[in-house]
Amino acid sequence: MLTTTYATGSLVKVRGREWVVLPDSEPDFLRLRPLGGTDDEVAGIYLPVEKVEPAVFAWPDPARPGDHRSCRLLREAARLGFRATTGPFRSFASLAVEPRPYQLVPLLMALKLDPVRLLIADDVGIGKTVEALLVARELLERGDAQGLAVLCPPHLAEQWQEEMQAKFHLEAELVLPGTVGRLERQCAQNQPLFDRFPITVVSTDYIKSDRRREDFLRECPDLVIVDEAHTCASAGQAGGRSRHQRHLLLRGLAAKPERHMLLVTATPHSGNEDAFRSLLSLLHEDFATLPEDLTGNETLRRQVAAHLVQRRRGDLASYLDSVTPFPEREEKDETYKLGTEGRKLLDDVLAYAREIVRDQTGGAPHQRVRWWSALALLRTLASSPAAAAATLKTRAATLQETSEETDELGQRSVLDQTEDEPTDGLDANPGADISELSAEDRKHYDHLQELAGRAEGLKGKADAKLEKMVKLVQQMLADGSRPILFCRFIATAEYVAEELRSRLKGAEVQAVTGLLPPAEREARVEALAAHAKPVLVCTDCLSEGINLQHWFDAVIHYDLSWNPTRHEQREGRVDRYGQGKPRVRVLTYFGSDNPVDGIVLEVLLKKHKAIRSSLGISVPVPTDTSRVV
């Protein structure tokens, strides 16, 4: 007769080692896992056949005394180790981060799915990276996944690698154009790279190409996290080749029914319903045929809700009796007035822009180049005299074979609608000098040079926009704020930083633009943050992929973005969990008598509410080249 029963979590000794008793054990049959073991080592012990006794650990040896610190470390290690093997989440002993209660919701949802197909679309600054990696670490610990590949834009790869190592003890290799050769040399003959390195962070833009995609689909691990997943949604003919390749990649990954996929994005819906549904179809094939209106269809709504989590910060500030200290956002608008010379230059540039876009010579491709050149000039003139002068002296975009290709190039260099492309390289000055297109266009060359000279003359104290900004930054520094000024163009950022550096006494001013490699950008920001009164002037190369909440607490939109989603990304650098200040300041800056700023501001205001709901905005490309504004 059995006289001893063992409760779940009890420690026993059998077969020469220590085990922990698992749930579903019975009086005469125990399910055991060795201490520190995995699911693969779970064993069943039939008590009438094998002798089981309580585990006993030897008392400390008095001849080898320790100290309080080592004893406490041992106690905590044992406690966490036991919890990992018997608790509901086996990964928690492997974490170096304490998740907020709301961050466990995606994990709970994931454990109800087989395979795990989840779209994590929480607001900016909530911690989607932590949420996705919690799911990944748990699947790996349970043995439900054997490997992990994180697909992300190349400029975010190192940040993912650091988060995985520092917080989740996942040692990931970077698969980038500059690292693949070294990794392949470490593989045995005919050994797939992703078999040799089961945990990787992969550049989506590198692996999406037609030449590499099929190899990756064959070798890819059974668990994939896709960062910035909205850039992989199908956008039809408007998406461009890069977006189409990314979508083909994800479609191929989703085709394997047993593969786990976590899609991560703060903007799942870009205003294109078909693109959003293409994302949903990656979660479940039936979602591709969802009706347009799910109102009243409780069954379908529940099916979609099982695969989608999207929450605003206001919903999570107080969750399950746990208060998360998200900062409050103090928003304010400030305006400036163009001076006499600035207004006169703007009027002359508008007249020039109308003239060149009405020119019908050269056929459709030439007309499109002139259209984009005019927009580039207006865009940079609203930014700064330095950017305008650089644009007036720079040759326009290369003539493409078709109007559609010219429009795609123009969108990438002039507008801010390239949400599916990395921000690197988008802060370069576009061109307005169209003198190389044709003999007809060369007649504008002298006029462009005259306008460039006038723009140069507006630098410094003649720049009304800059003059008022100097006073605003001085006031912010006096109030104890640590501001970031976001500019659209490299020329503007360098010009503004130079002017502020000469006028702000006691402050340290640094410019960070796309001219710097990512590692140097971060090093420069960290060095600047050590100063008592730092002022960071940057382009949108810092609007994503770097967290600045520990060092700065104010954002100034020195230039309005032509894509309102970009404003939210900028503000999200400081307005996020972990911000030390209870309040962050956001300043939107524009010219009250500048018609270019006026048009952009109207769009921003109309879409403000939609932005808060993480909806992107797609501004259509005008087809009527007879109108500029």
Side-chain angles (χ1 to χ4, degrees):
M1 170 180 275
L2 296 175
T3 60
T4 305
T5 59
Y6 298 97
T8 299
S10 300
L11 299 180
V12 298
K13 184 174 182 179
V14 64
R15 297 180 182 178
R17 65 189 301 187
E18 289 76 25
W19 307 71
V20 62
V21 179
L22 299 179
D24 299 330
S25 294
E26 299 177 1
D28 60 348
F29 181 83
L30 299 181
R31 290 183 66 249
L32 306 176
R33 180 190 290 114
L35 291 183
T38 65
D39 282 344
D40 294 336
E41 299 175 276
V42 170
I45 302 295
Y46 187 48
L47 272 65
V49 175
E50 297 190 65
K51 181 180 180 181
V52 178
E53 56 188 19
V56 177
F57 297 92
W59 288 97
D61 185 354
R64 302 176 60 187
D67 56 21
H68 170 73
R69 180 178 299 178
S70 61
C71 290
R72 183 175 180 181
L73 181 63
L74 176 62
R75 174 182 174 275
E76 292 298 317
R79 182 176 63 85
L80 291 174
F82 296 160
R83 182 179 69 179
T85 55
T86 62
F89 303 122
R90 299 172 188 169
S91 61
F92 275 23
S94 305
L95 306 184
V97 61
E98 183 176 351
R100 308 297 298 175
Y102 68 82
Q103 291 177 324
L104 300 179
V105 171
L107 174 58
L108 293 171
M109 294 175 62
L111 295 180
K112 297 179 180 179
L113 302 173
D114 186 21
V116 177
R117 297 285 177 94
L118 197 62
L119 174 57
I120 301 176
D122 283 340
D123 207 354
V124 174
I126 283 178
K128 294 182 294 298
T129 300
V130 170
E131 292 174 343
L133 288 175
L134 278 173
V135 177
R137 184 77 215 202
E138 184 68 18
L139 293 177
L140 291 170
E141 288 287 339
R142 288 170 175 258
D144 294 335
Q146 304 304 315
L148 166 64
V150 176
L151 300 180
C152 66
H155 62 287
L156 300 181
E158 290 187 2
Q159 180 177 333
W160 270 96
Q161 184 189 42
E162 292 171 2
E163 289 277 304
M164 294 168 71
Q165 196 283 325
K167 296 180 180 179
F168 294 87
H169 301 298
L170 293 171
E171 299 291 339
E173 292 287 348
L174 297 180
V175 181
L176 306 171
T179 66
V180 169
R182 172 180 59 82
L183 296 178
E184 289 178 340
R185 286 192 293 271
Q186 300 179 48
C187 298
Q189 187 175 6
N190 297 326
Q191 182 183 26
L193 185 149
F194 295 95
D195 181 54
R196 172 67 176 82
F197 304 102
I199 300 179
T200 55
V201 178
V202 187
S203 165
T204 309
D205 288 333
Y206 170 78
I207 212 69
K208 76 179 189 309
S209 68
D210 297 336
R211 182 167 62 90
R212 302 182 184 93
R213 183 174 62 246
E214 293 304 321
D215 289 340
F216 179 68
L217 292 177
R218 286 193 299 270
E219 303 170 5
C220 180
D222 51 0
L223 170 58
V224 177
I225 296 175
V226 183
D227 193 18
E228 303 296 338
H230 62 279
T231 68
C232 304
S234 175
Q237 296 181 351
R241 178 175 174 79
S242 292
R243 191 180 188 113
H244 178 65
Q245 288 180 321
R246 281 190 288 268
H247 183 67
L248 286 179
L249 174 64
L250 262 64
R251 180 63 61 191
L253 292 173
K256 187 175 181 179
E258 63 270 23
R259 175 170 283 123
H260 307 293
M261 293 182 65
L262 302 173
L263 309 183
V264 180
T265 174
T267 54
H269 202 308
S270 63
N272 185 326
E273 184 66 23
D274 291 337
F276 177 62
R277 289 174 180 271
S278 76
L279 275 184
L280 293 181
S281 67
L282 299 174
L283 307 174
H284 196 290
E285 58 183 8
D286 292 346
F287 292 168
T289 57
L290 286 174
E292 292 187 6
D293 188 0
L294 295 181
T295 303
N297 193 328
E298 189 66 20
T299 300
L300 286 180
R301 288 169 64 89
R302 287 183 177 275
Q303 289 179 2
V304 174
H307 297 267
L308 170 63
V309 54
Q310 182 179 25
R311 299 164 295 178
R312 306 276 69 79
R313 285 188 301 181
D315 304 329
L316 305 175
S318 180
Y319 182 79
L320 294 180
D321 299 324
S322 175
V323 177
T324 302
F326 290 116
E328 294 184 7
R329 185 182 300 188
E330 179 186 289
E331 297 179 294
K332 185 179 180 182
D333 294 341
E334 285 286 352
T335 62
Y336 66 91
K337 284 187 175 294
L338 295 169
T340 302
E341 291 301 318
R343 180 69 207 198
K344 190 174 186 302
L345 176 61
L346 177 60
D347 290 341
D348 291 345
V349 168
L350 282 170
Y352 168 75
R354 292 189 180 99
E355 178 185 351
I356 65 172
V357 299
R358 288 169 179 164
D359 187 348
Q360 301 297 312
T361 62
H366 285 77
Q367 293 177 44
R368 300 309 295 164
V369 171
R370 286 193 286 267
W371 164 261
W372 288 113
S373 298
L375 279 183
L377 183 52
L378 294 174
R379 183 77 197 273
T380 54
L381 187 62
S383 177
S384 72
T391 295
L392 287 162
K393 297 175 182 178
T394 303
R395 186 167 63 87
T398 305
L399 182 65
Q400 303 298 302
E401 293 184 3
T402 66
S403 296
E404 290 75 15
E405 292 174 334
T406 302
D407 284 341
E408 184 178 348
L409 183 61
Q411 280 185 305
R412 190 160 56 247
S413 60
V414 178
L415 301 183
D416 296 330
Q417 306 308 315
T418 52
E419 295 176 359
D420 57 338
E421 300 290 347
T423 53
D424 279 12
L426 295 182
D427 52 4
N429 272 78
D433 178 1
I434 57 176
S435 56
E436 296 187 23
L437 288 178
S438 66
E440 285 295 320
D441 290 324
R442 280 196 292 272
K443 68 184 179 181
H444 300 292
Y445 180 76
D446 291 339
H447 190 191
L448 286 169
Q449 297 308 302
E450 185 265 334
L451 292 174
R454 291 169 59 186
E456 291 276 5
L458 289 177
K459 288 183 178 180
K461 293 188 179 297
D463 184 357
K465 179 179 181 180
L466 175 68
E467 285 297 297
K468 183 166 183 179
M469 180 51 62
V470 172
K471 298 177 182 177
L472 293 172
V473 174
Q474 287 175 332
Q475 184 60 50
M476 277 194 171
L477 292 174
D479 294 341
S481 295
R482 299 162 69 91
I484 306 173
L485 283 73
F486 277 97
C487 306
R488 175 58 176 83
F489 301 106
I490 293 173
T492 299
E494 293 179 340
Y495 159 71
V496 170
E498 182 180 357
E499 291 291 332
L500 291 179
R501 194 176 295 119
S502 64
R503 303 192 199 191
L504 298 177
K505 304 304 180 183
E508 180 69 17
V509 182
Q510 286 288 349
V512 175
T513 70
L515 294 177
L516 300 174
E520 188 172 344
R521 295 174 203 169
E522 189 168 350
R524 185 170 293 192
V525 170
E526 289 185 11
L528 173 64
H531 199 276
K533 292 185 176 182
V535 178
L536 175 60
V537 184
C538 63
T539 62
D540 282 313
C541 71
L542 292 186
S543 66
E544 60 183 25
I546 183 170
N547 298 331
L548 304 174
Q549 73 271 23
H550 301 298
W551 301 320
F552 298 91
D553 53 36
V555 167
I556 300 174
H557 300 291
Y558 188 82
D559 291 333
L560 296 179
S561 173
W562 285 21
N563 179 355
T565 302
R566 187 74 69 199
H567 280 220
E568 190 71 15
Q569 290 175 328
R570 292 172 175 179
E571 294 160 14
R573 297 311 95 210
V574 301
D575 186 5
R576 59 194 305 115
Y577 176 66
Q579 169 61 248
K581 297 286 187 67
R583 181 186 65 178
V584 296
R585 302 173 67 177
V586 174
L587 182 64
T588 302
Y589 193 52
F590 56 94
S592 60
D593 57 348
N594 186 332
V596 180
D597 278 355
I599 293 172
V600 177
L601 185 63
E602 183 178 356
V603 175
L604 292 174
L605 293 176
K606 286 182 178 180
K607 300 299 182 179
H608 179 77
K609 186 176 181 179
I611 290 294
R612 293 297 187 189
S613 302
S614 80
L615 295 178
I617 298 173
S618 179
V619 179
V621 177
T623 56
D624 182 2
T625 57
S626 65
R627 299 175 59 196
V628 177
V629 295

